[in-house]
Amino acid sequence: MEPPIDPTVVAPFLVAVALMELTPGPNMGWLALVSLSQGRAAGLAAVVGITLGLTLWMVAAAFGLTEVVLRWPALYQAIRWAGVGFLLWLAWDAWRSAGDGAGVAPVAMRRRALFRRGLIGNLLNPKAALLYVVLLPGFMRPDHGSTLAQALTLGALHVLVSVVVHTTIVLTAARAGGALLTRAQGPMLRAAMALGLVAIAAWTAWETRA
């Protein structure tokens, strides 16, 4: 049975997406902050949300839906600034919690919130649409088979690479943050996270500019 993609493109594609995922970006910064301040389980919950968001963008790109975002500059900018605004809201939420001495939410509730934030943050990241629209065609072979099957297969490989990279970030940051969590108080960590999220919001605005 013929594979859905040309086997000769697999290795260069994996190298390309690995380099892209290892380039510092909003997901990497946010996951590091979450894992440093809340630990491994919290970081992994965020990874699940991010992965679902990337998967939805990938499926949309495979069916040609993300081209609509790129063809309509106003829509692209609306998604872009909504994503920046969402990060700033997260920063404000962290800062407010640091200052009001609010009690800690149950663990399960915190993890669900991190999952949702990872999902929403990626759905509001138009750079994910740009990645699939620009990157995938260069590794697809029209004469090899179904373009939809090729797009979905390559997209799934990218999602798999992103899971490996993001999980590694979480485990590394959580291990480094273990000592920090024993020395610093919760409000201090959340205030630091708020400032970090502001920096990530500015970073996102710059990186997604058209």
Side-chain angles (χ1 to χ4, degrees):
M1 182 177 179
E2 188 179 29
I5 58 175
D6 183 352
T8 63
V9 308
V10 174
F13 179 76
L14 290 176
V15 170
V17 296
L19 290 174
M20 293 182 67
E21 287 298 329
L22 290 171
T23 301
N27 282 341
M28 185 179 291
W30 183 62
L31 284 173
L33 284 173
V34 168
S35 303
L36 278 168
S37 61
Q38 300 184 47
R40 180 179 61 186
L44 292 176
V47 168
V48 176
I50 288 173
T51 301
L52 179 57
L54 287 175
T55 301
L56 291 175
W57 272 121
M58 181 269 289
V59 173
F63 283 92
L65 300 178
T66 55
E67 293 185 10
V68 176
V69 175
L70 302 178
R71 289 179 180 176
W72 292 82
L75 179 58
Y76 179 92
Q77 292 297 331
I79 295 174
R80 174 191 178 220
W81 287 111
V84 172
F86 180 68
L87 287 168
L88 291 174
W89 177 82
L90 292 180
W92 167 248
D93 186 58
W95 180 267
R96 181 182 58 186
S97 299
D100 64 12
V104 178
V107 172
M109 185 180 299
R110 294 204 309 272
R111 292 176 186 171
R112 286 196 296 269
L114 287 168
F115 165 81
R116 289 194 300 271
R117 291 173 181 183
L119 171 61
I120 294 170
N122 271 268
L123 291 178
L124 295 178
N125 180 12
K127 196 173 181 181
L130 186 63
L131 181 153
Y132 287 118
V133 170
V134 173
L135 182 67
L136 290 187
F139 294 92
M140 294 170 63
R141 303 292 182 262
D143 58 347
H144 187 78
S146 166
T147 55
L148 176 60
Q150 291 185 68
L152 290 173
T153 302
L154 290 171
L157 288 175
H158 169 252
V159 171
L160 179 61
V161 170
S162 75
V163 170
V164 172
V165 172
H166 292 158
T167 300
T168 301
I169 292 169
V170 166
L171 297 179
T172 303
R175 182 175 300 176
L180 181 64
L181 288 170
T182 61
R183 298 176 184 175
Q185 295 181 357
M188 293 175 59
L189 285 176
R190 291 186 66 83
M193 187 171 184
L195 294 175
L197 285 166
V198 170
I200 293 172
W203 189 355
T204 301
W206 175 260
E207 286 293 319
T208 58
R209 69 194 186 283

